[in-house]
Every structure is written in C-alpha cells, then in structure tokens.
Amino acid sequence: EHLGWEDWVVMALAILMLLSPWIAGQTADSTPVINASLAGVVLVIVAGLEMARLYRWHEYAAFLIGLWMLAAPSFLGYESLQPLAGWHQALGAGVAFLSVLEIWQDWRLTDDDLAEHGR
C-alpha cells in the first residue's frame, strides 16, 4: 500500500533541496544554486502532484531527480563546496531511496488503485 507519510517526507526533502544553498550559506557559486533551485522546484511540483493524484511517473520522476542530485556535485564540478555538496548527495540519496520504496510498494497496484491515493 502506498503510504502518505512518504509523500510528505519527499516534499520536505524537496523544500530542503530548494533551500540548501542558503541553509549551507553557499550562494556565491551560481551553478549549485541554480541546480538546487530547479531540482527543488520540480520535485516540489512532482511531490504535490503525487499527493493529489498518484501516477507511476511521479515516483520515477522523483527517483531520477534524486539520482541527479546525488551525482550533481561531481557532474557539475562543485564537489569541493562542502557542506553543500554533501547536502545535495544526502538529499538526493534520501529522495531516490524513498522513490524506490514507493515504486516497490506500488508495484502490484493497478492504475485505479493508484488513483484512489490521496482521496
């Protein structure tokens, strides 16, 4: 069964992702700020949509965003910006883990079952 608390945790992680450059006090380099802002906003939207009406693509999109944030410091060259890079990797790992958990929980649910989520 798809559990509602997981959606709320993903939403909280999305907000933390969005605010992470300011929380870490590292807003001088625009690359991680833009990355965190875009990924955070998209994840907030996906998590909100998932709370309203669940479709399988929501979980896969959240998983991909989580993987991206896990890898972004290396790909975008800001792995030396600690603690921000660590924040992004931890938040990305958390989102990816929860998304895999949700995908696994929903594996046998029909589209109609998924549509009942959030009602």
Side-chain angles (χ1 to χ4, degrees):
E1 178 180 338
H2 189 97
L3 304 175
W5 68 265
E6 295 160 343
D7 298 335
W8 285 104
V9 172
V10 170
M11 179 66 81
L13 292 174
I15 293 168
L16 280 174
M17 191 179 295
L18 178 64
L19 299 175
S20 63
W22 293 273
I23 293 170
Q26 294 177 309
T27 57
D29 188 346
S30 64
T31 300
V33 173
I34 292 169
N35 180 56
S37 298
L38 289 175
V41 166
V42 171
L43 190 56
V44 164
I45 292 168
V46 168
L49 290 172
E50 188 172 2
M51 289 178 186
R53 183 174 172 138
L54 180 61
Y55 291 99
R56 290 187 200 284
W57 71 264
H58 296 147
E59 293 163 352
Y60 290 106
F63 175 71
L64 291 174
I65 293 167
L67 283 183
W68 169 250
M69 289 304 289
L70 184 60
S74 296
F75 277 114
L76 297 178
Y78 65 93
E79 63 273 350
S80 64
L81 280 179
Q82 293 297 334
L84 185 59
W87 270 80
H88 288 180
Q89 290 169 328
L91 292 169
V95 169
F97 172 78
L98 283 172
S99 299
V100 167
L101 180 62
E102 290 178 323
I103 290 167
W104 176 74
Q105 289 171 341
D106 298 345
W107 193 257
R108 293 186 179 176
L109 296 179
T110 66
D111 289 340
D112 291 334
D113 293 335
L114 291 175
E116 290 299 315
H117 173 70
R119 290 187 183 174

